[in-house]
Amino acid sequence: MPVKRFGPQVDAAEIRALSAPAPADAVAAILREVSEGGDSALLAIERRVGNGALEELRVPTESISAAANGLEVEMLEALRLSIANVELAAAARKASPASIELPQGQSVIYRPIPVRRAAAYVPGGRGSYPSTAIMCLATARAAGVRDICVFSPAREQGEVDSAVLAVCSLLGVNEVYRFGGAHAIAAAAYGSETIAPVDVVVGPGNAFVQEAKRQLVGSVAIDSVAGPSELVVIADESSNAELISLDLMAQGEHGDESLVVLIATGAD
């Protein structure tokens, strides 16, 4: 994303532009089109606003299986390590059934029950986000979700990012659709001739994706309406410049609307 250096007089118009409202009417029209048209509508929308050359919605299973083979060893090991860490953290949050005895003699039992089917939205328009795939898919696997699918925008050649596909392969997810945007969220919620609807859809995305999630609450469960990111880091001479850079980049990669600010007490 471009670096914006705000001086003492911050441009208020530019700040407002960074948090402009999502196009609610346009998203509502897309949702209606998918609800009524199914697969043909998805392909038509993708040709208009996404990858015009897309012929098939789903990534072939063999492409997912082969994705890890094309990665560098260091990258593959980093993905495996990250998956293991997320699985450990997710498993710790999956509490065992808890029973509470009330003073009048009643008992209340809390038991975590995984949803049957979940969808993960993994952005792909501006970069590679295997970390998003790991956070969504490893958590769903640890929770015991049986059916998991992924929606991720295709590149110009019609292929989903290889690192994202590698994560899917490592976690045993072989249902991946190569399109994104509001119509992907609609496909997850409504389903189509070839896509089964899900119980919950999770993952970050642009303004169209988040607006689609907001409008579909009630039709499908969502994690949250998130973004754009805002982060301020205050640093002095004792701060670690590399860690600060990584923190800023981790939020800035969420899109051009993200606002990341560094306030340093010294020029160095």
Side-chain angles (χ1 to χ4, degrees):
M1 66 174 287
V3 176
K4 302 179 186 295
R5 292 181 174 85
F6 297 111
Q9 305 248 331
V10 176
D11 188 335
E14 189 167 11
I15 293 294
R16 285 196 297 272
L18 291 173
S19 57
D25 291 343
V27 169
I30 290 173
L31 301 186
R32 285 195 300 272
E33 190 173 349
V34 174
S35 175
E36 296 169 0
D39 286 348
S40 60
L42 291 170
L43 285 168
I45 296 169
E46 184 66 13
R47 293 188 184 108
R48 291 200 311 265
V49 304
N51 191 312
L54 190 66
E55 297 293 339
E56 296 290 337
L57 298 174
R58 185 165 175 172
V59 176
T61 303
E62 55 270 22
S63 297
I64 301 172
S65 302
N69 297 332
L71 298 182
E72 295 182 358
V73 174
E74 293 82 358
M75 178 64 168
L76 194 57
E77 289 305 314
L79 293 178
R80 287 195 174 107
L81 176 62
S82 184
I83 288 172
N85 287 341
V86 172
E87 286 178 332
L88 282 173
R93 286 163 30 205
K94 189 176 71 172
S96 300
S99 178
I100 300 173
E101 298 295 330
L102 301 179
Q104 297 79 23
Q106 315 97 308
S107 63
V108 178
I109 298 175
Y110 293 92
R111 183 177 59 169
I113 302 175
V115 297
R116 181 190 60 84
R117 179 168 165 82
Y121 186 92
V122 181
R126 292 185 176 90
S128 172
Y129 304 104
S131 57
T132 296
I134 291 171
M135 290 298 296
C136 295
L137 302 182
T139 302
R141 280 285 183 235
V145 179
R146 187 182 67 188
D147 295 334
I148 306 172
C149 62
V150 172
F151 292 85
S152 189
R155 304 292 176 85
E156 291 183 2
Q157 296 78 17
E159 299 300 327
V160 173
D161 178 70
S162 58
V164 170
L165 290 182
V167 170
C168 295
S169 177
L170 292 172
L171 283 163
V173 176
N174 60 16
E175 185 181 352
V176 181
Y177 298 98
R178 48 184 160 199
F179 64 98
H183 49 304
I185 306 301
Y190 297 139
S192 70
E193 294 91 335
T194 59
I195 302 172
V198 303
D199 301 303
V200 58
V201 57
V202 300
N206 62 17
F208 280 83
V209 170
Q210 298 305 321
E211 177 62 16
K213 289 168 69 175
R214 186 190 69 80
Q215 292 190 25
L216 285 169
V217 169
S219 298
V220 68
I222 66 170
D223 47 356
S224 67
V225 178
S229 291
E230 297 175 346
L231 176 69
V232 174
V233 175
I234 303 174
D236 60 16
E237 65 279 357
S238 67
S239 301
N240 184 312
E242 182 178 5
L243 293 181
I244 290 173
S245 299
L246 292 172
D247 273 341
L248 295 172
M249 290 165 59
Q251 300 307 313
E253 73 172 6
H254 291 168
D256 290 342
E257 299 82 10
S258 298
L259 181 62
V260 294
V261 177
L262 171 64
I263 301 173
T265 59
D268 294 338

